[in-house]
Amino acid sequence: MEDKRYEHVPVMLNEVLEGLNLRPDGLYVDCTFGRGGHSFAIAKRLQGGRLIALDQDEEAIRHGTARIESEGWTHVTLVRANFRDLADVLLQFEITAVCGILYDLGVSSPQFDEGTRGFSYKQDAPLDMRMDQRSSLTAYTIVNTWDEDVLKDIIARYGEERFAARIARAIVRAREKQPIETTGALAELVKAAIPAKYRRTGPHPARRTFQALRIAVNDELNHLKQSLTQAIQFLDPGGRLAVMSFHSLEDRIVKEMIRQAEDPCWKTEGRGALPCPEKPLLKRVYKKALQPSEQEIANNPRARSAKLRIAEKLA
């Protein structure tokens, strides 16, 4: 029986499939398998083609493997790996070029919904937040052992939280009395650290802090930069890169890396009328990021912040 947690409609599915410009006999990579929604849709459209899907989460691999076996798909290969290891995975299969690469960034709904993973401030659970359970660094370690200045920097930079200093100070003072062990305890602590008038409306006051800790635990932004660099190199001429992000930090990285590949000298000071010595690697398929329709957002509120950027590899 299908696990109910895995029943879902992937965000902007039609836009992703159209953006990848799928060839039935093509070779594609889904760097963020998650619950498999995009991967399964791609697999159904391949005839003679192949799909390599990556995910670092053990539960995602277990569920995905069962679904692939039940479908009898021999053209889909699921690999447990962080997408920062994209090049190593492809070379392991003697693959040097692909027709399209997809990223659907962020945390999948099962990771949020399963309380024991510690991603959500809505459920009380151990402070974990690891996407890859093999990793040694947890949110507990960061919250209970890292210096106050480092905590403040993480919360401000990754959470874009204006009250980062107050929150970091509150965390350090609380842990001096006893360890902060659960998401519930941390959420209440963060809420109390934010002035009352700023927590009366809007999302939960701990949302930005939890986002910051999750990014730090999983080193998400550095891994994204490393993986995108590899992805651009492995695309065939005419191949498509599709990246869906859910917050501004990820989208900024994607936007700047695509622009840098499209115009390698765009940041060069004093460039003037001189020709750029480097050749462009990509061109944007759409000048601006695609976003979900109002209807899709109404059906799936978690899609609200999604932005999809698509670029094509140049010859």
Side-chain angles (χ1 to χ4, degrees):
M1 181 179 294
E2 182 77 4
D3 189 332
K4 295 295 183 183
R5 293 173 304 148
Y6 287 84
E7 292 180 0
H8 80 302
V9 177
V11 176
M12 287 197 281
L13 177 59
N14 292 333
E15 291 88 341
V16 166
L17 296 176
E18 182 179 342
L20 285 172
N21 195 25
L22 292 174
R23 287 172 28 198
D25 61 346
L27 174 55
Y28 295 89
V29 180
D30 183 348
C31 285
T32 48
F33 178 79
R35 290 183 291 175
H38 291 107
S39 279
F40 297 147
I42 292 170
K44 289 177 181 178
R45 287 161 174 78
L46 297 181
Q47 296 178 352
R50 185 180 181 188
L51 173 68
I52 307 291
L54 281 60
D55 204 290
Q56 60 186 330
D57 187 275
E58 181 180 15
E59 180 68 10
I61 295 294
R62 183 197 65 77
H63 174 267
T65 299
R67 170 69 187 275
I68 291 167
E69 290 177 350
S70 70
E71 296 284 354
W73 285 336
T74 58
H75 63 298
V76 180
T77 304
L78 185 54
V79 181
R80 187 179 183 189
N82 187 297
F83 56 46
R84 72 175 184 271
D85 300 319
L86 173 63
D88 289 340
V89 171
L90 294 179
L91 292 175
Q92 171 189 337
F93 293 106
E94 299 182 345
I95 295 170
T96 58
V98 300
C99 299
I101 301 178
L102 168 66
Y103 294 80
D104 180 1
L105 303 171
V107 182
S108 67
S109 293
Q111 290 172 327
F112 266 124
D113 296 339
E114 188 177 335
T116 58
R117 302 297 297 274
F119 286 106
S120 176
Y121 46 78
K122 296 179 181 178
Q123 303 183 60
D124 197 27
L127 274 173
D128 193 326
M129 300 193 189
R130 292 174 297 172
M131 292 183 180
D132 187 339
Q133 296 91 333
R134 297 169 298 185
S135 174
S136 59
L137 181 62
T138 65
Y140 176 92
T141 302
I142 294 176
V143 167
N144 287 285
T145 68
W146 286 20
D147 291 342
E148 181 177 335
D149 286 344
V150 178
L151 286 173
K152 179 181 71 174
D153 180 63
I154 287 172
I155 296 168
R157 185 152 46 101
Y158 295 159
E160 299 179 298
E161 171 60 71
R162 64 185 296 188
F163 299 109
R166 293 172 64 110
I167 294 168
R169 191 176 308 118
I171 288 173
V172 170
R173 287 176 178 173
R175 77 189 191 192
E176 287 174 351
K177 299 176 183 178
Q178 63 182 29
I180 303 166
E181 297 185 345
T182 67
T183 55
L186 178 62
E188 288 302 312
L189 192 158
V190 172
K191 182 178 179 180
I194 294 176
K197 69 177 182 178
Y198 293 103
R199 48 183 160 90
R200 291 194 183 106
T201 59
H204 193 287
R207 180 177 63 89
R208 293 180 182 274
T209 298
F210 271 62
Q211 172 184 294
L213 290 171
R214 190 204 78 222
I215 290 172
V217 166
N218 298 285
D219 200 14
E220 293 176 31
L221 302 185
N222 286 327
H223 292 170
L224 176 59
K225 293 176 185 176
Q226 294 168 17
S227 188
L228 286 175
T229 299
Q230 298 168 45
I232 293 169
Q233 295 299 324
F234 272 83
L235 279 174
D236 249 341
R240 296 281 182 89
L241 173 68
V243 188
M244 183 156 31
S245 58
F246 289 84
H247 63 72
S248 59
L249 297 177
E250 292 171 337
D251 183 58
R252 194 175 305 142
I253 289 171
V254 176
K255 181 179 179 180
E256 290 201 357
M257 290 192 71
I258 289 176
R259 184 171 180 185
Q260 185 70 38
E262 189 175 42
D263 182 3
C265 293
W266 74 281
K267 283 189 174 181
T268 304
E269 293 183 8
R271 174 180 167 187
L274 294 176
C276 183
E278 299 180 53
K279 294 182 179 180
L281 296 174
L282 298 177
K283 68 173 180 180
R284 285 171 290 175
V285 175
Y286 305 104
K287 293 300 181 184
K288 294 184 178 181
L290 302 179
Q291 295 180 272
S293 66
E294 292 183 4
Q295 183 61 52
E296 180 170 8
I297 293 171
N299 293 334
N300 179 15
R302 284 177 171 171
R304 181 180 297 108
S305 59
K307 289 186 176 181
L308 176 63
R309 297 187 184 274
I310 300 171
E312 183 174 300
K313 183 75 172 285
L314 296 171

